[in-house]
Amino acid sequence: MTNRLIRRATVFVVAAVLGGGVAVAAASPAQAAGCYYGTASVASPSGGTGATAAARLCINSYGVAWLDTNTNNYIKDQKADGYAARAYIYWSQQYTNAIAVDDTSTAGGASLHWESNAGTQYRWTEVWVCLGYARPQDNTNRCAVVVYGT
């Protein structure tokens, strides 16, 4: 009787461990995310810092990307120089329209919120801060990469 109980207990424990391991392994690719944090500043044409931004970007193994909502993702216009601060995302081989805009009339900056809502084979993703109507693809000194991830 003792051997029988030990065998049943052993089978139960092994099944629980293996079954749990399989469930975790099967779920982990969808949940596994690489997260990257960064900050950047862009100089104002009139001198000094014109804009600052910070973001925590996460990307999972399926190519779904998002800004971590548990982090203070923001863009802030630092100087009343006539150039508003704008944030952009590069994802799936293209730039988004500005996901946030801030000028000095806004107290405390603007929060960044974005998620791709879909996967892509192109997992390289970037968050950019720009001044005025400059865009990241313009190759000007009015934009800077805040954070990037693969």
Side-chain angles (χ1 to χ4, degrees), residues 34-36 57 59 90 122-127 145 147-150:
C35 292
Y36 313 89
L57 174 69
I59 306 165
Y90 177 80
Y122 309 106
R123 292 189 179 101
W124 187 268
T125 306
E126 301 168 339
V127 178
V145 174
V147 63
Y148 62 89
T150 58

Side-chain angles (χ1 to χ4, degrees), residues 36-92:
Y36 313 89
Y37 179 79
T39 60
S41 296
V42 179
S44 169
S46 63
T49 302
T52 57
R56 182 172 172 85
L57 174 69
C58 297
I59 306 165
N60 72 13
S61 61
Y62 293 118
V64 177
W66 66 95
L67 292 175
D68 184 359
T69 56
N70 295 317
T71 303
N72 184 17
N73 302 302
Y74 69 89
I75 186 163
K76 181 155 178 48
D77 189 358
Q78 299 288 348
K79 193 171 191 180
D81 54 11
Y83 298 92
R86 289 178 169 76
Y88 297 92
I89 302 285
Y90 177 80
W91 179 76
S92 187

Side-chain angles (χ1 to χ4, degrees), residues 2 5 14 66 73 99:
T2 305
L5 289 174
V14 169
W66 66 95
N73 302 302
I99 62 165

